[in-house]
Amino acid sequence: MRVRSLALKLALLVGMLGLFQAVAVLAFSYNTMSRSLDEQRRHSLEDTLKEVSQVVDRQESSAAISGAAYQLAEVLGRHEGMHVVVERGNKGETLVAFSNVGKESLHQLKTAIWAPDAFLEWRSRETGTKMLSVSATGNTKNGDSYVMVLTADRRADDEILKKFLLTALTAGPFVLALVSLGALAIVHIGLKPLNRFRDAAVAVSTKNISARINPEHLPSELLPLGKAFNGMLDRLDDGIRRLSQFSGDLAHEMRTPLGILLGRTQVALSQQRTQEELLQVLEENVEEIERLNRLVTDMLFLAHADSTSFVLAAKPMNFATLAKEIADFMELPAEERGMSFQISGNATVTVDASLVQRAITNLVSNAIRYGAPGSVIGLEITSDQSAVRFSVSNHGEQIPAEHRARLFDRFYRTEFSRAREAGGSGLGLSIVKAIMKLHRGSVEVESNEHGKTCFTLIFPIHHVRQAVQV
C-alpha cells in the first residue's frame, strides 16, 4: 500500500534507519561479546592447565597419577565446567578421566586437526554442546611421560549469548516503535512551517491574491520555496491585473467601432436615403469592419503566440535583403511625408521570415507615423559575440520615460487620438514583443532629448546557432 502522508513516510524511513542501526549494533555487540567470552575461556583454560600440570608433575610415576585424582578433582572444583583426562604417554593407557567429555576430548586429540594456537573447538556427540580443549605433555619425577587434555564446557557462554540475543530481540520492537513515534512527532513539528503555505493558498482567489508568505522565522530549507511561492503569487497578481485591464481595453476598443457602425446604420434607416447615400454609408461601415477584423486577427495571433504549440518556420534570412524589401514596400507612405530610408550593416540569422518581417514592418510603420516629416528612418544591422541586432530609428518627439516601460502593453498608446486616426489599434508593439519572445529574443526602446527614438530587436546568438543545427 502506498503511503500518502509525508510525515508518516518520513517517520517510517527514520524507523527503518533506526532498525538498520539497531541490527548493526546488535550484530557488533553479539560478535564482541562472543569474542570476549572466548578469550576469557581460553585464559581460564591456560590458568587451569598450569595448576593441573603442577599437580601431575609432582607425582613420582605415571602410576601415582591415578592416586592423585582427588587432587585434580579439587583443582577442577575451583573452575566450573572443566574436564580433564590424562593418558600414559607410551602405552595409551588412560590414567585419569572424570567424565565422558574427558574421554571424548582424548579421541578429538587423536583425530581432529588442532589450531596453531593449540586450542581445539568441537561439539560433544552426546549433548551437542560446544567445547574448547587444550592439550599438554609432560613427565613425572621418574621420567614417565603423559598426555593431558583439559576441556572447558562452553554451555554457560552459549546461555549468556542466547539471553543477550533474546533480550535484544524482545526490546527491539518496542525501541523501534518508540523511535518511529518520536520521529513522527519531530517531523510534525518540523513540517509546521508548511502550514503557512497552506493558509496562503487557501486565502488566494481571483478577487483576493494579496496573501503572501512571511519569510521571517522560516527555516533556511524553506526560505527559497517561500520566495518562489511569493514570486508566483506576484506573477499571478500581475497577470490577473493585466487581464482585467486588457478585458476593459478590449471592450472599449470594440465598443467604439461597433458604436460607429450602429450609429451610422440607425441614421441611415431613420429616413429615406438615395442609393448613393446608402453606398456611402456601407463604404464607411466597411472601414470600421476592416478595423474590427484587424483587431480580431491581431488578438488571435497574440493568443496563438502565448500558447506552447506555436511552431516557428525557421530558416536562414539575410537581414540586409529584408531591410531593403521592407524599405521598398513602405516607400510610398514614407514619400507622402517626405521621409527616406538609410540601411546599414548585414547579418544572416535563422528566424521565421514572415514573423520577423511583420515585426520590423510594424516598427517602420510607427517610425513613419510618428517621425518628423522630411526626416530619415534608419535601418541598422549590427552583431557581436552575443547577439544580432536590428534597429529601427527615427526623429520626432521624445517618448517620456514613464511611457517607455508600458509601450509594449496591449492597447497602450501615448497619443490615443493620433493612433486611432492613423488606424492603429494599440497592438502593434505587443505583436513585436510576442514575435521576439517566440525567437527567445527581446526588444528595447531608447528615446533621447534630441528626439531620436530607436527600437532594437535582439536575436541571441546561441538561439540562432541552435536553430541552424536543427
Side-chain angles (χ1 to χ4, degrees):
M1 183 178 65
R2 187 176 180 180
V3 178
R4 295 186 177 274
S5 171
L6 179 60
L8 182 58
K9 185 181 292 185
L10 290 175
L12 289 176
L13 289 176
V14 172
M16 291 176 64
L17 178 61
L19 177 61
F20 175 77
Q21 292 177 336
V23 170
V25 171
L26 176 62
F28 177 78
S29 301
Y30 185 87
N31 185 58
T32 302
M33 183 177 292
S34 177
R35 287 177 177 272
S36 177
L37 291 173
D38 186 66
E39 289 179 2
Q40 291 178 10
R41 188 60 65 183
R42 287 171 184 256
H43 288 314
S44 178
L45 270 177
E46 290 175 345
D47 294 340
T48 305
L49 181 62
K50 290 179 181 178
E51 294 182 32
V52 172
S53 296
Q54 290 175 359
V55 172
V56 175
D57 289 343
R58 289 197 299 266
Q59 305 306 313
E60 292 294 334
S61 63
S62 57
I65 294 177
S66 299
Y70 72 95
Q71 297 181 22
L72 296 178
E74 290 179 358
V75 173
L76 296 181
R78 296 194 295 268
H79 302 278
E80 184 180 357
M82 293 291 181
H83 304 270
V84 68
V85 62
V86 182
E87 183 184 61
R88 195 188 301 271
N90 53 0
K91 296 183 178 180
E93 177 187 352
T94 302
L95 300 176
V96 177
F98 293 105
S99 64
N100 291 333
V101 172
K103 296 178 181 179
E104 194 172 351
S105 65
L106 192 61
H107 174 73
Q108 293 290 336
L109 173 66
K110 300 175 180 178
T111 59
I113 299 176
W114 288 61
D117 58 359
F119 286 94
L120 175 65
E121 293 183 353
W122 54 283
R123 286 186 178 275
S124 172
R125 294 180 181 178
E126 294 181 1
T127 62
T129 306
K130 289 175 62 176
M131 300 292 177
L132 180 66
S133 298
V134 62
S135 65
T137 58
N139 297 294
T140 59
K141 289 183 177 181
N142 65 354
D144 292 342
S145 63
Y146 66 87
V147 176
M148 180 171 55
V149 179
L150 183 64
T151 302
D153 191 331
R154 301 293 303 275
R155 187 179 306 168
D157 297 344
D158 288 344
E159 288 296 325
I160 293 175
L161 293 175
K162 285 180 181 179
K163 288 181 180 180
F164 169 77
L165 191 59
L166 180 61
T167 302
L169 293 178
T170 303
F174 297 99
V175 174
L176 178 60
L178 184 62
V179 171
S180 298
L181 291 175
L184 185 61
I186 293 172
V187 169
H188 273 296
I189 296 173
L191 293 180
K192 263 190 175 181
L194 290 178
N195 293 336
R196 300 189 197 179
F197 294 87
R198 180 199 60 196
D199 296 339
V202 169
V204 169
S205 66
T206 54
K207 295 181 180 179
N208 178 24
I209 199 170
S210 60
R212 296 293 185 273
I213 299 294
N214 187 357
E216 294 183 4
H217 308 300
L218 270 182
S220 58
E221 293 82 1
L222 294 180
L223 195 58
L225 178 60
K227 292 180 179 179
F229 188 84
N230 287 340
M232 177 193 69
L233 293 179
D234 289 339
R235 292 190 295 273
L236 287 175
D237 192 9
D238 182 67
I240 291 176
R241 179 182 58 80
R242 288 176 178 270
L243 181 60
S244 178
Q245 181 181 355
F246 168 73
S247 300
D249 293 339
L250 178 60
H252 182 77
E253 287 292 329
M254 298 191 70
R255 183 180 63 180
T256 301
L258 287 174
I260 294 174
L261 287 172
L262 181 61
R264 287 175 180 171
T265 304
Q266 288 176 340
V267 170
L269 294 175
S270 63
Q271 57 182 344
Q272 291 290 336
R273 302 290 180 180
T274 63
Q275 183 176 0
E276 289 76 12
E277 290 174 333
L278 291 175
L279 286 175
Q280 183 180 358
V281 171
L282 291 175
E283 289 175 356
E284 292 173 350
N285 285 352
V286 166
E287 293 179 2
E288 296 301 326
I289 292 173
E290 288 177 346
R291 188 192 303 273
L292 279 174
N293 183 59
R294 288 196 299 270
L295 178 63
V296 172
T297 301
D298 290 343
M299 288 303 305
L300 288 174
F301 172 79
L302 289 173
H304 189 197
D306 287 341
S307 70
T308 58
S309 60
F310 199 104
V311 179
L312 295 176
K315 61 181 180 179
M317 167 176 281
N318 186 277
F319 272 8
T321 302
L322 176 63
K324 188 176 184 307
E325 290 175 354
I326 293 176
D328 293 340
F329 178 73
M330 303 296 292
E331 183 177 7
L332 182 59
E335 287 180 350
E336 291 178 355
R337 304 201 66 208
M339 305 174 78
S340 60
F341 292 96
Q342 181 178 352
I343 301 173
S344 63
N346 190 12
T348 299
V349 185
T350 300
V351 293
D352 189 308
S354 61
L355 293 182
V356 172
Q357 185 176 15
R358 182 176 183 179
I360 297 174
T361 301
N362 283 353
L363 296 178
V364 172
S365 177
N366 285 345
I368 296 173
R369 183 180 303 148
Y370 301 115
S375 61
V376 176
I377 298 174
L379 303 180
E380 183 181 7
I381 304 158
T382 59
S383 63
D384 54 30
Q385 294 181 349
S386 61
V388 175
R389 294 172 173 82
F390 194 116
S391 300
V392 178
S393 60
N394 70 334
H395 289 80
E397 296 182 11
Q398 180 185 9
I399 302 176
E402 62 269 18
H403 292 299
R404 294 175 203 165
R406 298 193 58 195
L407 280 178
F408 300 97
D409 291 351
R410 298 174 185 182
F411 299 119
Y412 184 79
R413 301 186 182 92
T414 58
E415 296 178 85
F416 183 88
S417 59
R418 285 183 56 189
R420 176 163 291 283
E421 291 173 1
S425 64
L427 293 175
L429 292 179
S430 298
I431 291 175
V432 172
K433 182 179 179 180
I435 290 173
M436 293 309 299
K437 186 177 179 181
L438 289 172
H439 288 83
R440 300 181 187 176
S442 59
V443 55
E444 296 178 351
V445 59
E446 296 179 357
S447 186
N448 58 33
E449 64 275 8
H450 302 294
K452 181 178 179 180
T453 299
C454 180
F455 285 83
T456 303
L457 306 181
I458 303 174
F459 299 87
I461 288 293
H462 70 86
H463 176 61
V464 172
R465 290 175 178 171
Q466 289 176 0
V468 171
Q469 291 174 0
V470 172

